[in-house]
Amino acid sequence: MNQAKVKRVRDIVDGVLLLDKPVGLSSNDALIKTKRMLNAKKAGHTGTLDPFATGLLPLCFGEATKFSQDLLEADKTYLTTVHLGQRTDTGDTEGQVIETHEVNVTREQIEAVLERFRGPIEQVPPMYSALKRDGKPLYEYARAGVTLERDARPVTIHKLEFISYEAPFLKLEVRCSKGTYIRVLGEDIGAALGCGAHLNALRRIQVGALTMDNIVTLEEVAAHAAPLALLAPVDALLSSFPPVQLTQDLAKRFLNGQRLPLGKEPAVTPPKLEQVPGRVRVYLGEKLLGTAQLGEYDILAPERLIAVGS
């Protein structure tokens, strides 16, 4: 007689884990492994890193998943090594070499080319990407040998700093807007130098306000006696937003989705409007209640709310 398989009971876990994703593992696989280690019921990550890339992968658990979109929209910073003189079909080390050229460039030539890629630029997304066409990822077309036309997209390179050059390897630091493909940036720099290029290494070191401070590896999570202690609180995702404190009565109304005229509430002193970009994080004491838009006349409009008891 077959016994029914017992379904594993997952725990309600809230918080953020700053994972140092290893090379060779997809972001989703890293998430699945960590979720299993923490026995967490609900989890998500905040922006894919390619398997060959390493570094900061913020993983959100429970209530933190409500705010993961903010990090998807955030600027990101990378350290990268560009291999000049070789092009691959994927733009990185995972692909096959399709072109080889002699490399004969100077630091001055590199600096001049880098200047052309600072600020607002346009990028053509790579065929080896998860962008979809007719419901199918581009990388599936690429693997079948099909190349499709792609429209260029606007992105912004806030920082493109020369670190070192030991031919044929060019090391750079890049801070960029969402939607930027560092692989494409490396290829375009190589094309501008006349020798072609692909990415040899890529490491993400910052996502929004989150940095490498307190980053942990999968091995450290697995070996920790109390791995939940490695989690940062949910509001670690929201540190760039000004805080607003509510009274008990206002907090109850806020959690019911009511818009609050804070200017008429003497017990609450919100930030001055000129200091607020519109988005704020809302608290009752030390408890995060959620995010809101603070608008004209100090009207607080609830946005994303934390479940009561979390």
Side-chain angles (χ1 to χ4, degrees):
M1 184 175 178
N2 293 331
Q3 291 184 341
K5 187 176 180 180
V6 178
K7 188 175 180 180
R8 183 175 183 176
V9 178
R10 299 280 185 177
D11 297 329
I12 296 176
V13 175
D14 298 316
V16 182
L17 184 76
L18 304 183
L19 182 70
D20 189 349
K21 190 193 82 66
V23 68
L25 200 65
S26 74
S27 295
N28 195 54
D29 285 342
L31 174 66
I32 291 171
K33 285 177 177 291
T34 310
K35 182 180 179 183
R36 188 179 299 122
M37 291 178 195
L38 300 182
N39 196 41
K41 186 174 183 180
K42 184 177 182 181
H45 63 71
T46 58
T48 301
L49 276 175
D50 290 333
F52 90 101
T54 67
L56 183 58
L57 181 67
L59 302 180
C60 298
F61 296 91
E63 290 297 299
T65 60
K66 294 179 178 179
F67 308 101
S68 60
Q69 183 65 33
D70 298 302
L71 289 194
L72 292 175
E73 304 286 329
D75 292 343
K76 298 172 179 66
T77 304
Y78 301 87
L79 296 176
T80 187
T81 301
V82 182
H83 186 158
L84 300 179
Q86 284 188 352
R87 289 187 59 230
T88 68
D89 55 3
T90 60
D92 57 36
T93 57
E94 296 192 309
Q96 299 296 317
V97 175
I98 55 176
E99 284 183 20
T100 301
H101 299 277
E102 183 179 354
V103 180
N104 185 21
V105 298
T106 65
R107 163 99 184 242
E108 290 72 23
Q109 289 172 318
I110 292 172
E111 291 281 15
V113 163
L114 294 182
E115 183 59 33
R116 291 159 53 180
F117 290 94
R118 295 184 178 112
I121 64 171
E122 290 200 337
Q123 279 192 339
V124 176
M127 279 300 301
Y128 280 90
S129 69
L131 294 176
K132 291 188 177 181
R133 181 74 61 84
D134 297 327
K136 188 162 68 171
L138 290 181
Y139 63 76
E140 291 190 12
Y141 292 99
R143 289 171 181 168
V146 177
T147 301
L148 302 177
E149 290 292 323
R150 287 100 64 206
D151 293 332
R153 297 183 169 195
V155 297
T156 302
I157 307 299
H158 300 291
K159 178 181 182 181
L160 182 55
E161 181 178 324
F162 177 99
I163 296 177
S164 67
Y165 176 56
E166 296 181 13
F169 299 110
L170 170 62
K171 293 186 178 181
L172 304 168
E173 181 175 338
V174 184
R175 182 166 62 86
C176 55
S177 65
K178 68 169 185 174
T180 302
Y181 287 93
I182 307 299
R183 279 180 292 146
V184 174
L185 180 63
E187 289 182 303
D188 289 348
I189 289 171
L193 288 168
C195 58
H198 71 274
L199 287 198
N200 177 265
L202 181 65
R203 183 164 179 77
R204 188 158 67 191
I205 60 173
Q206 187 164 355
V207 178
L210 299 177
T211 66
M212 301 289 280
D213 294 341
N214 302 316
I215 196 169
V216 295
T217 64
L218 285 171
E219 292 76 15
E220 288 171 333
V221 176
H224 203 284
L228 293 182
L230 298 173
L231 294 177
V234 173
D235 58 359
L237 300 175
L238 309 172
S239 61
S240 61
F241 304 139
V244 169
Q245 279 285 347
L246 297 183
T247 62
Q248 185 78 44
D249 177 62
L250 289 178
K252 182 177 180 180
R253 289 161 58 189
F254 178 81
L255 291 173
N256 285 331
Q258 294 183 27
R259 292 163 60 92
L260 305 176
L262 297 189
K264 298 181 179 179
E265 302 290 341
V268 176
T269 306
K272 294 182 179 179
L273 283 179
E274 62 266 20
Q275 299 174 338
V276 177
R279 192 115 185 261
V280 295
R281 48 194 165 110
V282 182
Y283 293 86
L284 174 62
E286 295 183 356
K287 179 177 174 56
L288 177 70
L289 303 180
T291 58
Q293 292 289 335
L294 183 60
E296 194 174 8
Y297 307 115
D298 287 352
I299 300 297
L300 188 73
E303 194 177 47
R304 297 177 192 149
L305 305 179
I306 294 291
V308 175
S310 294

